[in-house]
Amino acid sequence: MTTQSQGLHTHVLDTLGLEISSGQCPPGSVLRTDELAQRFDVSRTVVREVVRVLESMHLVESRRRVGVTVRPTETWNVYDPQVIRWRLAGSDRPRQLRSLTVLRSAIEPVAASLAARHATAAQCAELTERALGMVATSRGQQLEGYLEHDIAFHRIVLNASGNEMFARLGDVVAEVLAGRTHHQVMFEDPDPAAVTLHVRLAEAVREGDPEAAERITKEIAVGALHELDVLAP
Amino acid sequence: MTTQSQGLHTHVLDTLGLEISSGQCPPGSVLRTDELAQRFDVSRTVVREVVRVLESMHLVESRRRVGVTVRPTETWNVYDPQVIRWRLAGSDRPRQLRSLTVLRSAIEPVAASLAARHATAAQCAELTERALGMVATSRGQQLEGYLEHDIAFHRIVLNASGNEMFARLGDVVAEVLAGRTHHQVMFEDPDPAAVTLHVRLAEAVREGDPEAAERITKEIAVGALHELDVLAP
DNA sequence: GTGACACATACGTCGTACTTTTTGTTCCCG
DNA sequence: CGGGAACAAAAAGTACGACGTATGTGTCAC
């Protein structure tokens, strides 16, 4: 699931990134390129490329004569979808999931409000379609199908906002929703109230009602936060 | 200002990143590693490392037998501070500045509200100090000093929110404010109303009043957006 | 104890050679 | 004339070895 050996680089990057963001290799610990090359049985070239990428994510810092140092958590590029995936797969998933959900609760209402103003007819149509899809898959253990519609739904809202920064948060939301469904144990069907709210949000956007769209999205966010409180440690 | 020749890698990365995000090398155009190596007079190794980093930012895609292709704008990691800096220095600065300011207007009110609940005494103290610093530098063409206090002020609010995702947006805000002061032609002293709002925000946080903090921050954001409307093409 | 100097070390850069994958072309057969 | 299979070229992917360079550390003399 993690990597299908589509290149040495990817494998080493994924492994190292996961190890760092999951807490082994704590901040301050040093790695040596030669050792890494030995450990993964690859050339130093590959390791160096990986280190450079990790460096661009501010996960590590490479200095002469000292080695590759793991940087403190506060400097990491936590908006990088790759980093998010690593952290969500790692140990402090609950904390991460909460941070991301709070972020969503700040962004998505505003995005929905903008979407109600700017959404095209096509976007409204697909939004409604996805909402109906969520209704259709909301019962009977069709979690995967529901997840797909849910992700698509929120992505459309974010795209329809017309703001590029919001739109690019679609991947983050997708990671959160997928993480919630897969990692969190989710035996039961989704909350019927949440499904209804999505349908009503689609309506509000279609009718061009920014205030309603914002209010409904806030309700969805509150529900998501509450859900986390119930299930988290 | 762009690069202090602290390594070949940095120089090539900065140059290429800027060229791509500024629109020359439009999406779809292909670059060859050998050509790049020739052009920058560096080894293929260096170019490959740069390409890998650019790839991790989703600015380019490297495929065998075809070369390094510039990816469409929608896929770029626009939350990477490096990318933001490049785009802000490039051609479509106005659009970018607007997107980022809208993002701020969504995030910062919520962050301020949380900060009013969670800020420590030390954070409150520094916040007040910075607000006073802004007052002190608000007249008489002390733009650089004002900018420094402004950045620090917003960074404290974001940090005090206690949410990691908000905190990490400090760099983004810093880039926006710096971009506004430096690139935008800013002859005049900052808006006195804005300065007052910052002082009042510091008070609201210190007094633990989330509603007021949120409301005041929204006003600051509205002012910033309005300022853009006045000065933008 | 302090300062300067030398040394060891691990990253930084380079050049080359070889491998792998993709793509475009050619050529044969139906 | 059309389609498919074999082939060839191109460009990235990987490996290896060498040397450059900065920099932490230890030593030595004062």
Side-chain angles (χ1 to χ4, degrees), chain A residues 215-233:
Chain A
R215 184 164 20 85
I216 295 169
T217 308
K218 273 182 183 162
E219 286 185 54
I220 294 178
V222 168
L225 276 171
H226 180 67
E227 201 171 295
L228 276 187
D229 285 332
V230 173
L231 295 176

Side-chain angles (χ1 to χ4, degrees), chain A residues 58-138:
Chain A
H58 292 85
L59 261 63
V60 302
E61 188 186 9
S62 179
R63 284 174 57 198
R64 280 179 152 132
R65 162 73 202 203
V66 59
V68 179
T69 319
V70 178
R71 300 185 66 174
T73 319
E74 308 90 67
T75 72
W76 296 356
N77 250 349
V78 285
Y79 284 89
D80 190 315
Q82 178 85 88
V83 176
I84 291 178
R85 220 167 305 137
W86 286 332
R87 301 189 71 190
L88 240 35
S91 55
D92 65 355
R93 182 186 322 132
R95 242 178 51 76
Q96 182 69 1
L97 222 39
R98 191 175 306 269
S99 293
L100 288 169
T101 306
V102 172
L103 176 72
R104 285 185 60 197
S105 74
I107 297 272
E108 295 202 74
V110 179
S113 164
L114 287 173
R117 294 175 207 274
H118 301 128
T120 66
Q123 286 168 328
C124 290
E126 208 191 334
L127 201 59
T128 305
E129 196 178 324
R130 290 301 185 171
L132 292 182
M134 290 176 72
V135 173
T137 54
S138 65

Side-chain angles (χ1 to χ4, degrees), chain B residues 57-78:
Chain B
M57 297 169 174
H58 291 85
L59 261 64
V60 302
E61 188 186 10
S62 180
R63 283 174 54 197
R64 278 180 156 127
R65 162 72 203 206
V66 59
V68 178
T69 321
V70 177
R71 301 185 66 175
T73 319
E74 308 90 66
T75 72
W76 296 357
N77 249 350
V78 284

Side-chain angles (χ1 to χ4, degrees), chain B residues 12-13 23 30 39 49 64 67 83 89 93 108 141 159 177 188 198 213 220 228:
Chain B
V12 177
L13 179 63
V30 293
R39 175 183 155 197
E49 287 170 9
R64 278 180 156 127
V83 175
R93 182 187 321 134
E108 295 203 74
Q141 297 292 318
N159 284 334
L177 294 177
E188 303 175 12
H198 281 77
I220 295 179
L228 276 186

Side-chain angles (χ1 to χ4, degrees), chain B residues 106-218:
Chain B
I107 296 272
E108 295 203 74
V110 179
S113 163
L114 288 172
R117 296 176 207 271
H118 301 127
T120 67
Q123 286 169 329
C124 290
E126 208 193 334
L127 202 59
T128 305
E129 196 178 322
R130 289 301 185 172
L132 293 181
M134 290 176 71
V135 173
T137 53
S138 64
R139 287 167 177 266
Q141 297 292 318
Q142 309 182 52
L143 288 181
E144 284 303 323
Y146 181 83
L147 172 63
E148 187 192 321
H149 289 299
D150 200 5
I151 290 177
F153 184 95
H154 288 277
R155 210 186 278 276
I156 294 167
V157 173
L158 290 168
N159 284 334
S161 74
N163 184 301
E164 180 191 27
M165 301 301 290
F166 290 166
R168 277 300 291 159
L169 229 59
D171 289 349
V172 174
V173 173
E175 296 291 344
V176 173
L177 294 177
R180 200 174 61 175
T181 301
H182 293 144
H183 297 307
Q184 211 97 343
V185 214
M186 218 169 164
F187 302 112
E188 303 175 12
D189 287 337
D191 180 13
V195 180
T196 305
L197 283 172
H198 281 77
V199 175
R200 284 179 49 205
L201 176 54
E203 285 170 11
V205 170
R206 192 172 57 236
E207 292 168 4
D209 187 341
E211 285 80 15
E214 181 167 354
R215 185 165 18 88
I216 295 170
T217 309
K218 272 183 184 163

Side-chain angles (χ1 to χ4, degrees), chain A residues 110 114 117 163 166, chain B residues 94-109 176-177 180 184 191 194 197 217-233:
Chain A
V110 179
L114 287 173
R117 294 175 207 274
N163 184 301
F166 291 167
Chain B
R95 244 178 50 79
Q96 182 69 1
L97 222 41
R98 191 175 307 269
S99 292
L100 289 168
T101 306
V102 172
L103 176 72
R104 285 185 59 198
S105 74
I107 296 272
E108 295 203 74
V176 173
L177 294 177
R180 200 174 61 175
Q184 211 97 343
D191 180 13
L197 283 172
T217 309
K218 272 183 184 163
E219 285 185 54
I220 295 179
V222 169
L225 275 171
H226 181 67
E227 201 171 294
L228 276 186
D229 284 332
V230 173
L231 294 176

Side-chain angles (χ1 to χ4, degrees), chain A residues 44-55:
Chain A
R44 207 163 70 97
T45 313
V46 171
V47 174
R48 295 200 81 270
E49 287 170 9
V50 169
V51 167
R52 281 257 132 97
V53 172
L54 255 21
E55 208 173 13

